[in-house]
Amino acid sequence: MRIHKEGRVTLLVAAFLVVLLNYAALKFYPVGYLIYPLSAISIIIYLLILWFFRVVERPVIHDGNLVIAPCDGKVVVIEEVTENEYFKDQRLKISIFMSPLNVHMNWYPVGGKVLRAIHHKGKHLKAYKPKSSEDNERSTVVVETEIKQQILFRQIAGAMARRVVLYAEEGEFVEQNGNLGFIKFGSRVDVYLPLSSEVKVELNQKTVGTQTVLAHL
């Protein structure tokens, strides 16, 4: 299992804390019934963090007419909304919620030219709340596809997620299912589509990043 570069420092710090905690427990409370459960719990927590930062290798889809899931998770919203930041008109929004156990790598749902790539500071409300799209720490990326369709997507930090990492840069050309970024510890990704898009997923459906087709343009 490979570890994502965004997790290397976190895992080093976590490993140091696990060793320090177990050393302190052994030194000041050298009683078997305390040190063994403490060691087991700390190791399990470390393994969960390790699992969170795993890198997955999957066959990818390249189709300019399709919008592919940018992350693993569950579809929690499919609705027509007003997108106020960039388009300022009606769009079809699909939201995918990621639990802490999901892979937290993010991929480009479409390929093309990046027209907008910006990171917004903000709050850390629970990611499933509607207001998190506007109030939480988040990124906004707009990509114009080969067929001249503009797709907007947002990485949104949640109550547990404390950092959104975005690799996109305005003006560059990106490949569908290329590496978009990473969100640390629980979060959500919103995808805004033209109203003419044909949705291919349902509410509460589980998604697999780079694999699940969200919509046909």
Side-chain angles (χ1 to χ4, degrees):
M1 181 178 68
R2 291 197 300 119
I3 302 301
H4 198 281
K5 63 181 181 179
E6 298 298 339
R8 293 169 188 168
V9 173
T10 300
L11 287 167
L12 285 174
V13 172
F16 173 77
L17 292 176
V18 167
V19 172
L20 183 64
L21 179 64
N22 282 275
Y23 172 78
L26 185 62
K27 182 175 179 63
F28 296 106
Y29 301 96
V31 182
Y33 68 82
L34 178 63
I35 185 62
Y36 294 132
L38 181 63
S39 296
I41 292 171
S42 61
I43 291 172
I44 289 172
I45 292 174
Y46 184 80
L47 290 175
L48 288 174
I49 297 174
L50 189 69
W51 180 249
F52 175 87
F53 286 107
R54 69 195 183 277
V55 172
V56 295
E57 300 290 346
R58 296 168 179 161
V60 297
I61 300 171
H62 294 290
D63 189 325
N65 294 309
L66 300 179
V67 180
I68 309 299
C71 62
D72 291 5
K74 183 174 74 171
V75 177
V76 293
V77 172
I78 302 175
E79 64 181 3
E80 186 177 322
V81 299
T82 301
E83 198 291 306
N84 292 312
E85 179 183 342
Y86 183 82
F87 295 118
K88 302 186 187 304
D89 63 10
Q90 294 295 107
R91 295 280 154 165
L92 186 63
K93 181 172 79 169
I94 300 177
S95 298
I96 302 172
F97 178 75
M98 293 178 282
S99 79
L101 295 180
N102 285 129
V103 174
H104 271 58
M105 297 174 60
N106 298 152
W107 298 272
Y108 289 100
V110 295
K113 183 178 180 180
V114 178
L115 302 181
R116 183 176 178 85
I118 187 170
H119 178 270
H120 306 272
K121 295 181 179 180
K123 301 176 182 178
H124 291 90
L125 304 174
K126 293 180 180 179
Y128 61 80
K129 291 189 175 183
K131 288 292 289 182
S132 65
S133 296
E134 300 176 358
D135 295 342
N136 279 21
E137 178 186 352
R138 64 201 182 279
S139 72
T140 299
V141 180
V142 179
V143 172
E144 184 175 69
T145 70
E146 294 179 358
I147 60 174
K148 302 303 179 182
Q149 295 276 20
Q150 294 184 10
I151 310 301
L152 183 151
F153 35 97
R154 287 197 179 99
Q155 301 167 287
I156 303 170
M160 292 181 63
R162 311 309 291 186
R163 185 185 175 201
V164 170
V165 180
L166 176 65
Y167 300 145
E169 295 184 6
E170 292 182 8
E172 70 173 343
F173 287 85
V174 297
E175 290 188 358
Q176 188 175 40
N177 292 316
N179 194 356
L180 167 66
F182 201 93
I183 313 179
K184 295 185 177 181
F185 301 112
S187 40
R188 195 176 99 204
V189 177
D190 291 347
V191 181
Y192 292 80
L193 307 169
L195 296 180
S196 59
S197 303
E198 182 182 357
V199 177
K200 297 294 186 179
V201 289
E202 299 177 348
L203 281 176
N204 299 315
Q205 178 179 333
K206 291 184 178 179
T207 62
V208 179
T210 76
Q211 303 295 296
T212 304
V213 176
L214 295 185
H216 186 281
L217 295 174

